[in-house]
Amino acid sequence: MAQSKQKIIVVGNGMVGHKFIESLVTHEDASQYSITTFSEEPRLAYDRVQLSAYFSGSTVDDLMLTTPSYYDEHGVRYLVNEKVIGIDKDAKTITTSSGLVEPYDTLILATGSFPFVPPIPGKDQDHCLVYRTIEDLEAITASAAESEVGVVVGGGLLGLECANALHNLKLTSHVVEFAPQLMAVQIDEGGGALLRQKIEALGVSVHTGKNTSEIVAGTERRYRMNFADGSHLETDMIVFSAGIRPQDALAREFNLTLGERGGIVINDHCQTSDPSIYAIGECALWDNKIYGLVAPGYSMAKAAVAHITGGDVTFQGADMSTKLKLMGVDVGSIGDTHARTEGALTYTYFNQPEGVYKRLVVSSDQQTLLGAVLIGDTSDYGTLLPMMLEKMPLPEQPEVLILPAVEGADNALGVAALPDSAQVCSCHDVSKGDIAAAVADGACDVASLKSCTKAGTGCGGCVTMMGQVLNSELEKMGVEVNDHLCEHFAYSRQELFDIIRTKQIKTFADLIDQYGSGMGCMTCKPAVGSMLATYWNEYVLSDKHIHLQDTNDIFLANMQKDGTYSVVPRIAAGEITPQGLITLGEIGKKYDLYTKITGGQRIDFFGAQLHELPLIWQELTEAGFETGHAYGKSLRTVKSCVGSTWCRYGMLDSVSMAVLLEMRYKGLRSPHKLKMAVSGCTRECAEAQGKDIGVIATDKGWNLYVCGNGGMKPRHADLFATDLDDATLLQYIDRILMFYCRTADRLQRTSTWMDNMEGGLAYLKSVVIDDKLNIGEDLEADMARVIDTYECEWKKTLQSPERLKRFAHFINSDATDDSLAYEPDRGQNKARIASKSMAPPTDAERIPVTIAK
Amino acid sequence: MLAETQIQTDWETVCQLDDITPFTGVCALVGEIHIAIFRVSDDKLYAIQNYCPFGQASILSRGIVGTVGERIVVASPLYKQQYDLATGECLEDPETTLTTYAVRVHDGSVQILN
Ligand SMILES: Cc1cc2nc3c(=O)[nH]c(=O)nc-3n(C[C@H](O)[C@H](O)[C@H](O)COP(=O)(O)OP(=O)(O)OC[C@H]3O[C@@H](n4cnc5c(N)ncnc54)[C@H](O)[C@@H]3O)c2cc1C
Ligand code: SF4
């Protein structure tokens, strides 16, 4: 008889509760447990760390960490809007707010924490809010709509994040802090002072050393905050962000041991004073410490899962160092930032003109690093953190670690010096050794490391370091670390693109003569052909370019498994007249072509023989159709929903925008194929967030998403910018696409391009929106040339009898390929050849090693 | 006399050199056989069977011509196996060798030895 399953109840479905569940259901013994989770909030776990992104356009769906279907699939029972209010430790049951009583064998408390609101008279009025849940953010948004001035009480990490949100909501914003400086917990006084300067420069007023004594009705604004020093400040709304308190109410009421100042006491296995009850995350107190960050919570979740399943991982505390960007200001805080360790010595570097402050705290014998503060430039964070954690010996002159690199001097300690135990990704606890192992197993670019180790997929702060570890490991393994296109060119694709652009090279022959060797091959020829086409946009079948074209491009059609071709005319945005459909139907019938509607909202004809292509295209062109470039590594389709012209929900005319985009970018040859989509509202019927470029209408304009992908490795697109007008939307897309064409690797989709990009989305934004590289106009000009020189390749081909000669199976006979034969299936032709085992990917299909510089 | 006639009938003209764009191929029908003829640089020609045993289709003349080390190869447009144009050997699977044919340019005509 099957043993009955062990019942596990998880109270709280926040970040850590979910992590626990996820780790348990993916454990090899998962089948022995039945899990139920209760959430007081109206939804399952979401990414609280990214909460502020909600203000910049992310939707609730974007923030979700899991879905009901994931839980269903793994047999996890979940009840939302259901608070647990009682525990009977003897009977081993819990009671919920709706009166449900549920038995447990093991109880997990993952109740998180709640915002601390100082006991100030007047704190409970309307427009006095907190910042922790999605509902809190909705309340803040609603309040901001009726306010002009906003105050955040608390100048810590969250407070500053919140002030930024108010600032972006166009309120005159203030931060009121009790301590004499900002971020007093994480950084020292000098760092705090520079941070303050930078934040004030952005237009947020900072008031330190202010103790609010009461909140009363204001004279000019809704409220007046009176401070203990006699001064005051008027405001319309107030958000309290004065720290968090562990949510330990259940433990308090039902007699689990608590710490003096709250928090549920746990041991190294995360067990509370009752061995069947565990506490994890921000509600737990370990070694008298509460951890207000998500990474330690995740480690606790793992330790609890290990203890329950008989594993041996324990919780051993966690480092609280952080690196973040606050209102565009880089801030890094490592270890003992205040030099509180006995005898600690400090080094400080302060570059006022550039706004950079760095401080090192070292042991009295100057042998080890104890802590560091970095403001304005956190590039050293990745090197300093492991030095502190691993107690690595300091260089002779520790100050070189923070001094700017001076020509000739090499002060960076390479990652090669780090021990395997050094943590690289703190969000997912991935060590240098884990990454090295993944590299040894064949992961050879940052994107694949991300997918197999999860490193770099949390806050993303460690991606640069991942790249460094990757390179050093590859070098160790004797892999030649180069990003050369192939044996014929000792340059990367990006370098070759720059050469073509700056040396104005127009043919493969000139390029290989001057910068390469040999004759070229199936790797470099199509790659160079594509770059020349992107930059010069010349006819790809001309004598000088034709030999560069791959299987499909060379006959402007897609070769199918039996050597016949498929034909796809452009149907921009999927919009077609009934007459157009009739014409297509007639052509399909006349040439006996298997006909199918594609995923990109167009019509695909299969089974055309080489000699038939010009005949078919002659008819298509006469009927007004253009080539659909289905054969090219180029823009395929811009999918659209019907949008505001017909749909009851449509915000803007998504079809017109999709037609505009498709007609603008058609013919653009790119490193890989490009797909776009435009949806008329957030219901997203066009699935734009799974496309390279996705556009979604809102009531204020267009939201632009980038680098999504469906297909083999789906990637949800990143929100790039919100509420754009038509002109800005096109400007951004021009720049993004051209930047992609210039910098991506061969056959790299935008999704992997983004995953491998140092600095990621923020970097792309800085290039495109802030024009940090000062190439914006250039990129636009390059795109304008492509748009201006567009010609339909089929139309041009039909005009050239010379070219048409190639479209015959035999050069010396009118006979056709007699090896072709079809069998009817569901009323249409089907290619005859039985399915064969596919050849393994060849070098040409593999993506080259990408080198992080 | 007899010997000369013999030579003339053995070389079959399939097209003019100008019909083949440098660095590309064409397919010729010689008897019942599909032969891929490639023009590499201005006047160097190679001929191999057009049928790709991996792709099971008559398509090799439509592949990209290039070099791997010193060897001149064509890549199958279907699954990208590469064949040495001089010997017919498949680089990915040396067990597989395609038939090669003698080819020449004679008075501007491309001829295959039948
Ligand atoms: C704006 C913001 C920014 C942040 N930024 C960062 C950052 O950059 N880096 C970082 O590491 N951390 C950050 N944090 C902190 C991080 O979000 C927390 O450490 C993490 O969410 C803690 O996870 P948890 O599961 O312990 O608690 P939570 O995520 O709060 O989940 C607890 C859940 O339990 C529910 N609950 C409580 N009591 C009950 C009950 N009795 N019955 C049923 N359900 C109950 C709660 O409603 C809640 O949904 C940030 C937090 C905020 C608010
Ligand atoms: S995305 Fe919105 S506008 Fe477009 S069809 Fe769907 S509901 Fe209508």
Side-chain angles (χ1 to χ4, degrees):
Chain A
M1 211 184 81
Q3 246 188 345
S4 70
K5 294 186 176 187
Q6 195 182 330
K7 292 195 188 61
I8 298 193
I9 290 184
V10 183
V11 184
N13 195 256
M15 299 189 74
V16 175
H18 169 65
K19 184 59 151 201
F20 172 88
I21 292 172
E22 192 187 47
S23 313
L24 191 56
V25 298
T26 51
H27 192 276
E28 51 186 14
D29 296 333
S31 61
Q32 297 176 17
Y33 305 94
S34 83
I35 306 174
T36 304
T37 181
F38 294 93
S39 170
E40 184 186 356
E41 294 193 56
R43 57 180 67 79
L44 294 178
Y46 55 90
D47 192 348
R48 212 178 293 287
V49 171
Q50 302 295 335
L51 198 58
S52 299
Y54 185 78
F55 283 127
S56 45
S58 286
T59 61
V60 173
D61 280 348
D62 295 335
L63 293 177
M64 292 311 292
L65 291 175
T66 184
T67 56
S69 59
Y70 179 85
Y71 277 8
D72 289 339
E73 230 169 78
H74 290 91
V76 177
R77 236 178 105 219
Y78 52 90
L79 291 93
V80 296
N81 269 323
E82 189 81 40
K83 184 175 178 176
V84 174
I85 56 166
I87 306 176
D88 185 333
K89 289 189 290 191
D90 300 325
K92 287 195 162 186
T93 59
I94 58 102
T95 319
T96 73
S97 48
S98 69
L100 209 66
V101 178
E102 285 279 330
Y104 66 80
D105 296 307
T106 304
L107 183 64
I108 311 291
L109 299 177
T111 48
S113 56
F114 61 88
F116 169 65
V117 179
I120 303 167
K123 69 178 168 53
D124 293 323
Q125 309 178 63
D126 288 348
H127 301 281
C128 293
L129 306 164
V130 294
Y131 194 53
R132 174 129 195 124
T133 65
I134 288 181
E135 282 65 31
D136 292 340
L137 266 64
E138 285 169 348
I140 291 172
T141 315
S143 168
E146 303 170 31
S147 304
E148 279 171 36
V149 181
V151 167
V152 176
V153 176
L157 204 152
L158 286 188
L160 294 179
E161 218 176 287
C162 182
N164 186 36
L166 296 188
H167 183 64
N168 290 341
L169 288 168
K170 309 274 183 289
L171 299 190
T172 306
S173 311
H174 299 265
V175 174
V176 170
E177 167 60 52
F178 177 69
Q181 68 161 92
L182 292 176
M183 287 187 70
V185 181
Q186 290 92 354
I187 59 178
D188 70 319
E189 208 183 314
L194 177 61
L195 182 62
R196 175 184 187 140
Q197 264 178 30
K198 293 193 167 222
I199 284 176
E200 291 193 320
L202 295 169
V204 174
S205 314
V206 177
H207 314 266
T208 49
K210 296 285 179 197
N211 184 3
T212 313
S213 50
E214 56 175 358
I215 301 166
V216 296
T219 48
E220 276 145 45
R221 311 252 58 106
R222 196 173 284 134
Y223 300 125
R224 173 181 168 131
M225 301 170 72
N226 286 325
F227 302 122
D229 62 3
S231 58
H232 68 268
L233 184 63
E234 297 237 338
T235 181
D236 295 313
M237 65 171 301
I238 300 169
V239 183
F240 290 101
S241 181
I244 53 169
R245 293 292 178 267
Q247 180 51 276
D248 53 14
L250 278 173
R252 189 177 299 274
E253 194 173 339
F254 298 95
N255 296 322
L256 296 171
T257 306
L258 297 183
E260 250 168 58
R261 289 164 46 217
I264 311 168
V265 172
I266 56 168
N267 62 17
D268 293 357
H269 303 300
C270 301
Q271 284 167 300
T272 66
S273 50
D274 177 332
S276 326
I277 306 181
Y278 294 72
I280 54 179
E282 286 188 344
C283 62
L285 185 78
W286 180 87
D287 191 24
N288 229 356
K289 287 193 273 284
I290 292 278
Y291 291 96
L293 291 176
V294 71
Y298 282 179
S299 306
M300 290 182 199
K302 280 187 202 157
V305 167
H307 195 240
I308 291 167
T309 55
D312 52 13
V313 179
T314 56
F315 183 70
Q316 291 298 335
D319 178 63
M320 297 290 279
S321 303
T322 39
K323 177 178 114 171
L324 62 158
K325 216 184 188 76
L326 279 171
M327 311 184 71
V329 182
D330 287 307
V331 177
S333 155
I334 293 175
D336 180 10
T337 52
H338 292 100
R340 295 206 173 110
T341 312
E342 173 108 32
L345 300 168
T346 62
Y347 295 85
T348 308
Y349 167 76
F350 184 25
N351 180 336
Q352 195 169 19
E354 284 182 16
V356 175
Y357 176 89
K358 300 178 181 186
R359 182 191 213 209
L360 286 185
V361 181
V362 304
S363 59
S364 55
D365 58 3
Q366 297 173 52
Q367 292 301 305
T368 51
L369 183 66
L370 301 172
V373 178
L374 305 167
I375 310 284
D377 172 9
T378 50
S379 53
D380 298 327
Y381 184 87
T383 333
L384 296 177
L385 180 62
M387 289 194 80
M388 187 276 288
L389 292 175
E390 303 296 327
K391 302 197 168 49
M392 289 163 64
L394 282 170
E396 195 104 329
Q397 295 168 299
E399 66 270 28
V400 298
L401 292 171
I402 50 171
L403 291 178
V406 184
E407 195 94 21
D410 183 14
N411 56 9
L413 271 181
V415 287
L418 293 178
D420 274 355
S421 59
Q423 192 184 50
V424 175
C425 170
S426 56
C427 294
H428 292 286
D429 186 22
V430 184
S431 67
K432 179 187 163 195
D434 297 334
I435 293 185
V439 175
D441 281 349
C444 57
D445 61 10
V446 171
S448 40
L449 282 176
K450 278 185 181 174
S451 71
C452 65
T453 65
K454 275 191 157 183
T457 59
C459 68
C462 60
V463 175
T464 311
M465 195 169 172
M466 280 168 70
Q468 294 163 350
V469 175
L470 169 67
N471 285 352
S472 96
E473 290 304 314
L474 286 173
E475 257 164 48
K476 255 197 251 165
M477 286 161 55
V479 175
E480 200 187 325
V481 182
N482 75 41
D483 48 5
H484 300 172
L485 193 57
C486 67
E487 64 180 75
H488 304 105
F489 288 99
Y491 295 96
S492 68
R493 180 188 181 279
Q494 179 172 356
E495 288 163 341
L496 284 174
F497 200 106
D498 287 343
I499 290 172
I500 290 171
R501 203 165 48 82
T502 54
K503 307 286 178 202
Q504 300 278 298
I505 290 180
K506 292 188 121 171
T507 63
F508 181 82
D510 283 349
L511 189 68
I512 201 158
D513 251 18
Q514 297 172 40
Y515 297 93
S517 62
M519 202 160 96
C521 63
M522 66 176 173
T523 302
C524 60
K525 284 178 139 193
V528 172
S530 159
M531 288 186 269
L532 292 170
T534 304
Y535 196 69
W536 298 108
N537 204 22
E538 292 180 340
Y539 179 51
V540 293
L541 299 191
S542 62
D543 279 358
K544 54 185 191 265
H545 298 316
I546 190 167
H547 65 105
L548 308 177
Q549 309 308 323
D550 215 337
T551 311
N552 295 338
D553 286 274
I554 195 165
F555 292 107
L556 306 177
N558 296 49
M559 185 185 275
Q560 302 302 323
K561 59 198 241 176
D562 60 353
T564 65
Y565 291 87
S566 74
V567 171
V568 187
R570 184 166 303 287
I571 300 180
E575 187 181 57
I576 185 163
T577 61
Q579 184 54 51
L581 272 178
I582 291 169
T583 310
L584 290 182
E586 279 166 353
I587 294 173
K589 193 163 148 191
K590 175 165 170 191
Y591 293 92
D592 197 14
L593 302 170
Y594 170 86
T595 306
K596 187 167 186 322
I597 293 179
T598 69
Q601 302 184 328
R602 21 193 217 179
I603 288 172
D604 203 342
F605 294 123
F606 292 82
Q609 293 189 45
L610 193 52
H611 69 277
E612 293 176 316
L613 289 175
L615 306 173
I616 294 171
W617 272 107
Q618 186 66 43
E619 299 200 25
L620 287 171
T621 328
E622 279 165 15
F625 287 98
E626 287 189 337
T627 179
H629 284 101
Y631 44 80
K633 302 283 183 245
S634 55
L635 176 73
R636 295 286 170 84
T637 63
V638 184
K639 186 174 173 177
S640 74
C641 75
V642 74
S644 62
T645 37
W646 290 96
C647 177
R648 282 185 288 145
Y649 304 109
M651 291 287 175
L652 292 169
D653 183 355
S654 46
V655 181
S656 294
M657 179 49 78
V659 171
L660 180 72
L661 293 178
E662 187 156 342
M663 296 319 259
R664 185 176 181 86
Y665 300 114
K666 64 183 178 184
L668 170 69
R669 291 278 194 312
S670 43
H672 210 308
K673 63 186 169 192
L674 286 168
K675 296 183 178 181
M676 306 189 185
V678 185
S679 280
C681 79
T682 52
R683 286 172 189 75
E684 246 285 65
C685 297
E687 297 162 338
Q689 293 163 97
K691 300 283 189 276
D692 299 280
I693 296 287
V695 177
I696 301 178
T698 71
D699 54 348
K700 299 193 214 67
W702 303 103
N703 282 358
L704 172 59
Y705 288 82
V706 298
C707 304
N709 194 10
M712 189 153 76
K713 245 181 96 188
R715 180 182 192 278
H716 194 287
D718 295 315
L719 179 62
F720 185 81
T722 58
D723 306 332
L724 304 175
D725 57 28
D726 289 11
T728 316
L729 178 70
L730 295 182
Q731 184 192 38
Y732 286 178
I733 301 177
D734 278 3
R735 291 183 177 190
I736 293 167
L737 290 180
M738 239 336 135
F739 191 56
Y740 163 64
C741 289
R742 279 194 189 180
T743 61
D745 274 329
R746 188 180 68 88
L747 299 183
Q748 189 176 44
R749 289 292 297 264
T750 59
S751 54
T752 16
W753 175 60
M754 171 60 82
D755 282 342
N756 279 306
M757 192 183 304
E758 269 187 44
L761 182 65
Y763 176 70
L764 185 61
K765 283 187 188 172
S766 71
V767 172
V768 170
I769 301 177
D770 310 332
D771 199 7
K772 172 174 145 170
L773 304 179
N774 208 7
I775 54 171
E777 279 179 19
D778 247 33
L779 295 173
E780 284 171 45
D782 286 357
M783 185 61 84
R785 189 175 45 241
V786 175
I787 297 167
D788 291 346
T789 52
Y790 173 84
E791 325 175 71
C792 171
E793 290 163 346
W794 262 112
K795 195 165 180 190
K796 181 152 177 116
T797 305
L798 291 170
Q799 290 160 355
S800 155
E802 263 311 295
R803 283 290 141 228
L804 287 177
K805 264 197 205 163
R806 292 182 47 81
F807 290 84
H809 191 74
F810 299 113
I811 189 85
N812 60 341
S813 159
D814 290 339
T816 57
D817 186 355
D818 54 11
S819 60
L820 297 171
Y822 296 101
E823 330 178 311
D825 192 22
R826 290 189 298 277
Q828 298 205 65
N829 284 339
K830 186 178 85 176
R832 178 202 51 172
I833 299 171
S835 66
K836 54 185 160 282
S837 57
M838 258 281 286
T842 62
D843 282 344
E845 290 165 302
R846 290 197 190 105
I847 309 283
V849 174
T850 305
I851 301 311
K853 300 227 165 55
Chain B
M1 254 341 248
L2 190 72
E4 229 172 50
T5 330
Q6 189 73 47
I7 288 163
Q8 274 167 9
T9 48
D10 275 351
W11 286 99
E12 181 174 331
T13 295
V14 293
C15 63
Q16 299 305 298
L17 182 62
D18 288 349
D19 292 337
I20 315 181
T21 314
F23 302 107
T24 69
V26 297
C27 174
L29 185 63
V30 179
E32 302 240 297
I33 301 169
H34 300 194
I35 297 178
I37 304 168
F38 299 94
R39 177 172 175 190
V40 175
S41 74
D42 274 347
D43 52 2
K44 187 97 187 93
L45 295 178
Y46 293 94
I48 60 170
Q49 74 185 56
N50 196 45
Y51 185 80
C52 171
F54 294 96
Q56 299 182 29
S58 174
I59 39 82
L60 287 176
S61 63
R62 308 179 205 167
I64 291 186
V65 177
T67 48
V68 172
E70 297 297 304
R71 302 165 87 176
I72 298 181
V73 301
V74 64
S76 164
L78 276 170
Y79 300 117
K80 308 282 173 178
Q81 290 85 5
Q82 300 183 96
Y83 299 98
D84 187 324
L85 289 182
T87 63
E89 187 187 324
C90 174
L91 271 59
E92 285 77 16
D93 176 17
E95 306 274 279
T96 306
T97 300
L98 307 185
T99 313
T100 55
Y101 301 88
V103 58
R104 70 171 189 189
V105 184
H106 188 74
D107 281 348
S109 298
V110 176
Q111 297 181 326
I112 294 278
L113 188 61
N114 197 346

